[in-house]
Amino acid sequence: MTATDTQAAGERAVGIDVSATTLDVAVHGGRGWQAENAAGGIAALVAALDALHPAVIVLEATGVYHQAVTSALAAAGLPVVVVNPRQVRDFARSTGQLAKTDRLDAAVLAQFAAVVRPTPRPLPDDALLELRALLERRRQLVEMLTAEKNRLAVARRSVRPSLQRVMRTLERALAEADDDIGQWLRRSPVWRAQEALLRSVPGVGPQTARSLIAQLPELGRLTRREIAALVGVAPLARDSGTLRGRRTCWGGRAPVRAALYMAVISGIRCNPVLRACYQRLRAAGKPAKLALTACIRRLLTIINAMLKTQQRWQPTQAATA
């Protein structure tokens, strides 16, 4: 498990392709190796990379499989970055790399790390990961309960009792999940303060506030343009020469957009700032979808400013945010 010393210390770029059982490691300009995606293999990998003194280590977001190795690398003080798989795939195509194996993917990640040099950001701690897991479990329970309700609507009499029993079980589990999330949030004074600020905004309910705390910890730390781009509600230009294409929004964090969408749907009825924004855009002939997206961006700007200044909802200030 060695790497060719073709780069100066502190300049090496490393890519790690993560699967359920293995970690394929590539050093840009050096040799690669494979480790087991388990406690022993991760510990050996951390020791080997610590000796290399890499400038950046890049992994793709792969559900839950990358979390253990990412946490171990971050705990060791190594510069690890978790990137969007689509970004790396587009980079691979731009270099003509169309084949795909674990070893090739690791090499592409190492090349991406060397060329792009993404900036390491603070990673979520264990408490935030636990909160995200609880919210994800709640989402799964809601989906299962909705599916059973849909089946009940068209079910024959013979299967209705079974569906109703499952629904009652899911409803109890959903109530327990809400209690667990509430207890977890109450453990952190910071989260309690953030939830109180977010809940002061008309239209932002408990589930939206909790989703924002768990899925968007950058709130209050970025500019309004940066936070809009991160969520995926910033209009992106599509111009070329004399052509002026339509501005579109894409990418970003879908769970956050879904939470903000529900808040805006409620907000255009009970929030005077969002209602005025929506009505003005619709009166100007804008499609409903565009108007709602603009309201999502407006709401995101407002709550980002609120968390930055630690001030509760104030309509007069929100109107100028």
Side-chain angles (χ1 to χ4, degrees):
M1 193 163 58
T2 61
T4 302
D5 191 11
T6 59
Q7 293 169 296
E11 295 183 0
R12 298 184 183 90
V14 177
I16 303 177
D17 184 74
V18 181
S19 68
T21 58
T22 59
L23 302 167
D24 283 271
V25 185
V27 179
H28 188 249
R31 297 178 183 174
W33 68 90
Q34 189 178 81
E36 185 182 4
N37 193 2
I42 291 173
L45 171 64
V46 169
L49 291 178
D50 191 40
L52 284 175
H53 303 293
V56 62
I57 304 168
V58 170
L59 304 88
E60 289 180 325
T62 54
V64 299
Y65 297 128
H66 75 279
Q67 291 180 0
V69 64
T70 302
S71 298
L73 291 168
L78 292 167
V80 60
V81 183
V82 180
V83 298
N84 189 320
R86 181 173 58 187
Q87 185 180 7
V88 178
R89 201 67 235 151
D90 290 343
F91 175 83
R93 292 193 187 97
S94 72
T95 62
Q97 179 62 59
L98 302 180
K100 194 178 188 314
T101 67
D102 291 346
R103 194 163 77 173
L104 286 175
D105 287 349
V108 168
L109 284 166
Q111 186 180 6
F112 175 87
V115 174
V116 179
R117 289 298 174 101
T119 303
R121 293 182 177 180
L123 297 174
D125 56 22
D126 288 339
L128 186 59
L129 291 175
E130 292 291 345
L131 178 60
R132 288 180 181 176
L134 289 170
L135 287 168
E136 175 63 15
R137 182 54 184 163
R138 185 189 187 278
R139 184 192 63 78
Q140 294 168 355
L141 291 169
V142 170
E143 287 183 352
M144 289 188 286
L145 182 57
T146 301
E148 291 298 272
K149 288 180 177 178
N150 292 338
R151 294 185 187 103
L152 182 65
V154 295
R156 300 188 69 85
R157 186 183 305 173
S158 58
V159 300
R160 281 178 171 268
S162 173
L163 288 168
Q164 290 167 344
R165 284 194 299 272
V166 173
M167 286 170 56
R168 286 193 293 270
T169 300
L170 290 172
E171 287 168 351
R172 288 194 297 270
L174 186 58
E176 291 173 0
D178 284 332
D179 289 341
D180 291 341
I181 293 169
Q183 291 176 12
W184 200 260
L185 282 170
R186 286 192 290 273
R187 295 181 182 183
S188 169
V190 175
W191 287 347
R192 290 201 305 269
Q194 288 178 341
E195 186 179 25
L197 287 174
L198 292 170
R199 291 289 303 278
S200 71
V201 180
V204 176
Q207 301 311 322
T208 298
R210 293 170 178 182
S211 294
L212 291 173
I213 291 170
Q215 302 292 343
L216 196 62
E218 297 88 352
L219 266 176
R221 304 175 187 174
L222 303 178
T223 67
R224 61 187 179 89
R225 290 185 177 85
E226 289 171 338
I227 201 74
L230 187 62
V231 174
V233 291
L236 303 176
R238 295 180 63 86
D239 299 339
S240 178
T242 59
L243 174 66
R244 294 293 179 267
R246 292 181 60 187
R247 271 52 178 164
T248 56
C249 300
W250 61 278
R253 298 182 185 176
V256 176
R257 288 198 305 276
L260 290 171
Y261 174 82
M262 298 308 298
V264 164
I265 292 296
S266 174
I268 58 177
R269 294 193 298 269
C270 65
N271 187 313
V273 175
L274 295 180
R275 182 169 61 244
C277 178
Y278 182 78
Q279 291 175 348
R280 174 175 55 81
L281 290 169
R282 293 292 284 149
K286 303 299 182 183
K289 184 177 180 181
L290 186 150
L292 288 172
T293 302
C295 288
I296 290 173
R297 188 165 60 252
R298 183 67 176 276
L299 176 59
L300 183 60
T301 298
I302 292 169
I303 60 178
N304 187 58
M306 287 172 56
L307 266 67
K308 187 174 292 186
T309 60
Q310 292 297 298
Q311 292 184 352
R312 292 174 64 86
W313 165 262
Q314 297 179 14
T316 54
Q317 294 184 5
T320 59

